[in-house]
Tab-separated table of all heavy atoms in Angstrom:
chain	number	residue	atom	x	y	z
A	38	ASN	N	-29.816	-8.451	5.364
A	38	ASN	CA	-29.736	-7.043	5.639
A	38	ASN	C	-28.260	-6.790	6.026
A	38	ASN	O	-27.734	-5.776	5.602
A	38	ASN	CB	-30.692	-6.646	6.729
A	38	ASN	CG	-30.763	-5.220	6.923
A	38	ASN	OD1	-30.384	-4.406	5.973
A	38	ASN	ND2	-31.075	-4.669	8.054
A	39	THR	N	-27.675	-7.575	6.847
A	39	THR	CA	-26.317	-7.448	7.244
A	39	THR	C	-25.322	-7.486	6.103
A	39	THR	O	-24.475	-6.732	5.986
A	39	THR	CB	-25.919	-8.444	8.353
A	39	THR	OG1	-26.826	-8.328	9.410
A	39	THR	CG2	-24.530	-8.247	8.925
A	40	TYR	N	-25.604	-8.527	5.271
A	40	TYR	CA	-24.776	-8.639	3.998
A	40	TYR	C	-24.872	-7.482	3.154
A	40	TYR	O	-23.925	-6.929	2.679
A	40	TYR	CB	-25.274	-9.919	3.225
A	40	TYR	CG	-24.655	-10.107	1.961
A	40	TYR	CD1	-23.285	-10.510	1.797
A	40	TYR	CD2	-25.298	-9.760	0.794
A	40	TYR	CE1	-22.706	-10.643	0.563
A	40	TYR	CE2	-24.763	-9.778	-0.484
A	40	TYR	CZ	-23.374	-10.260	-0.530
A	40	TYR	OH	-22.819	-10.417	-1.831
A	41	GLU	N	-26.027	-6.945	2.992
A	41	GLU	CA	-26.273	-5.759	2.117
A	41	GLU	C	-25.566	-4.509	2.714
A	41	GLU	O	-24.972	-3.709	2.021
A	41	GLU	CB	-27.762	-5.383	1.971
A	41	GLU	CG	-28.478	-6.374	1.060
A	41	GLU	CD	-27.897	-6.415	-0.341
A	41	GLU	OE1	-27.533	-5.374	-0.853
A	41	GLU	OE2	-27.812	-7.512	-0.951
A	42	GLN	N	-25.546	-4.409	3.992
A	42	GLN	CA	-24.952	-3.307	4.730
A	42	GLN	C	-23.397	-3.385	4.470
A	42	GLN	O	-22.693	-2.421	4.157
A	42	GLN	CB	-25.193	-3.283	6.268
A	42	GLN	CG	-26.646	-2.947	6.538
A	42	GLN	CD	-26.989	-3.060	7.973
A	42	GLN	OE1	-26.223	-3.734	8.754
A	42	GLN	NE2	-28.014	-2.507	8.507
A	43	GLN	N	-22.821	-4.569	4.617
A	43	GLN	CA	-21.465	-4.800	4.462
A	43	GLN	C	-21.106	-4.461	3.058
A	43	GLN	O	-20.055	-3.868	2.692
A	43	GLN	CB	-21.083	-6.242	4.710
A	43	GLN	CG	-19.568	-6.528	4.474
A	43	GLN	CD	-19.302	-8.021	4.748
A	43	GLN	OE1	-20.169	-8.812	4.539
A	43	GLN	NE2	-18.097	-8.279	5.001
A	44	LYS	N	-21.882	-4.968	1.997
A	44	LYS	CA	-21.624	-4.668	0.604
A	44	LYS	C	-21.664	-3.138	0.368
A	44	LYS	O	-20.771	-2.626	-0.361
A	44	LYS	CB	-22.693	-5.338	-0.165
A	44	LYS	CG	-22.279	-5.641	-1.596
A	44	LYS	CD	-23.272	-6.508	-2.240
A	44	LYS	CE	-23.509	-6.032	-3.633
A	44	LYS	NZ	-24.546	-6.535	-4.310
A	45	GLU	N	-22.572	-2.364	0.980
A	45	GLU	CA	-22.634	-1.021	0.739
A	45	GLU	C	-21.423	-0.300	1.301
A	45	GLU	O	-20.887	0.660	0.738
A	45	GLU	CB	-23.912	-0.417	1.442
A	45	GLU	CG	-25.168	-0.781	0.742
A	45	GLU	CD	-26.399	-0.188	1.449
A	45	GLU	OE1	-26.284	0.522	2.357
A	45	GLU	OE2	-27.458	-0.656	1.067
A	46	ARG	N	-20.975	-0.760	2.482
A	46	ARG	CA	-19.708	-0.101	3.085
A	46	ARG	C	-18.484	-0.388	2.195
A	46	ARG	O	-17.686	0.482	2.051
A	46	ARG	CB	-19.562	-0.661	4.495
A	46	ARG	CG	-20.532	-0.150	5.432
A	46	ARG	CD	-20.361	-0.633	6.881
A	46	ARG	NE	-21.443	-0.329	7.710
A	46	ARG	CZ	-21.595	0.676	8.477
A	46	ARG	NH1	-20.629	1.594	8.498
A	46	ARG	NH2	-22.602	0.906	9.220
A	47	ILE	N	-18.424	-1.604	1.689
A	47	ILE	CA	-17.275	-1.953	0.803
A	47	ILE	C	-17.400	-1.003	-0.449
A	47	ILE	O	-16.367	-0.529	-0.909
A	47	ILE	CB	-17.272	-3.467	0.425
A	47	ILE	CG1	-16.887	-4.209	1.666
A	47	ILE	CG2	-16.324	-3.739	-0.704
A	47	ILE	CD1	-17.144	-5.727	1.525
A	48	ASP	N	-18.565	-0.916	-1.014
A	48	ASP	CA	-18.700	-0.023	-2.209
A	48	ASP	C	-18.247	1.369	-1.848
A	48	ASP	O	-17.605	2.075	-2.663
A	48	ASP	CB	-20.184	-0.015	-2.705
A	48	ASP	CG	-20.561	-1.275	-3.300
A	48	ASP	OD1	-19.589	-2.113	-3.713
A	48	ASP	OD2	-21.759	-1.528	-3.506
A	49	TYR	N	-18.649	1.828	-0.692
A	49	TYR	CA	-18.274	3.168	-0.244
A	49	TYR	C	-16.783	3.378	-0.169
A	49	TYR	O	-16.189	4.390	-0.695
A	49	TYR	CB	-19.034	3.512	1.142
A	49	TYR	CG	-18.453	4.694	1.732
A	49	TYR	CD1	-18.928	6.037	1.378
A	49	TYR	CD2	-17.536	4.706	2.803
A	49	TYR	CE1	-18.437	7.158	1.977
A	49	TYR	CE2	-17.019	5.803	3.391
A	49	TYR	CZ	-17.524	7.077	3.007
A	49	TYR	OH	-17.057	8.230	3.570
A	50	LEU	N	-16.092	2.423	0.435
A	50	LEU	CA	-14.664	2.492	0.637
A	50	LEU	C	-13.945	2.418	-0.724
A	50	LEU	O	-13.018	3.143	-0.971
A	50	LEU	CB	-14.142	1.392	1.569
A	50	LEU	CG	-14.515	1.547	2.951
A	50	LEU	CD1	-14.086	0.327	3.850
A	50	LEU	CD2	-13.874	2.763	3.594
A	51	GLU	N	-14.486	1.597	-1.618
A	51	GLU	CA	-13.899	1.456	-2.990
A	51	GLU	C	-14.062	2.795	-3.703
A	51	GLU	O	-13.167	3.198	-4.446
A	51	GLU	CB	-14.575	0.374	-3.771
A	51	GLU	CG	-14.102	-1.083	-3.294
A	51	GLU	CD	-14.805	-2.186	-4.038
A	51	GLU	OE1	-15.902	-2.017	-4.578
A	51	GLU	OE2	-14.268	-3.318	-3.929
A	52	ALA	N	-15.194	3.460	-3.523
A	52	ALA	CA	-15.401	4.757	-4.147
A	52	ALA	C	-14.477	5.809	-3.660
A	52	ALA	O	-13.899	6.571	-4.469
A	52	ALA	CB	-16.862	5.214	-4.008
A	53	ILE	N	-14.274	5.803	-2.367
A	53	ILE	CA	-13.329	6.862	-1.805
A	53	ILE	C	-11.944	6.559	-2.312
A	53	ILE	O	-11.250	7.466	-2.544
A	53	ILE	CB	-13.370	6.662	-0.282
A	53	ILE	CG1	-14.729	7.065	0.330
A	53	ILE	CG2	-12.219	7.488	0.482
A	53	ILE	CD1	-15.130	8.546	0.109
A	54	ILE	N	-11.483	5.312	-2.333
A	54	ILE	CA	-10.197	4.947	-2.829
A	54	ILE	C	-10.033	5.433	-4.381
A	54	ILE	O	-9.063	6.006	-4.712
A	54	ILE	CB	-9.914	3.447	-2.704
A	54	ILE	CG1	-9.767	3.089	-1.152
A	54	ILE	CG2	-8.680	3.011	-3.505
A	54	ILE	CD1	-9.676	1.593	-0.923
A	55	GLY	N	-11.082	5.151	-5.136
A	55	GLY	CA	-11.049	5.569	-6.538
A	55	GLY	C	-10.861	7.050	-6.611
A	55	GLY	O	-10.173	7.578	-7.448
Side-chain angles (χ1 to χ4, degrees):
N38 188 26
T39 302
Y40 171 76
E41 290 299 323
Q42 289 173 346
Q43 179 187 22
K44 203 171 139 190
E45 286 177 15
R46 290 179 192 266
I47 290 170
D48 289 344
Y49 169 80
L50 290 173
E51 287 175 342
I53 296 295
I54 289 169

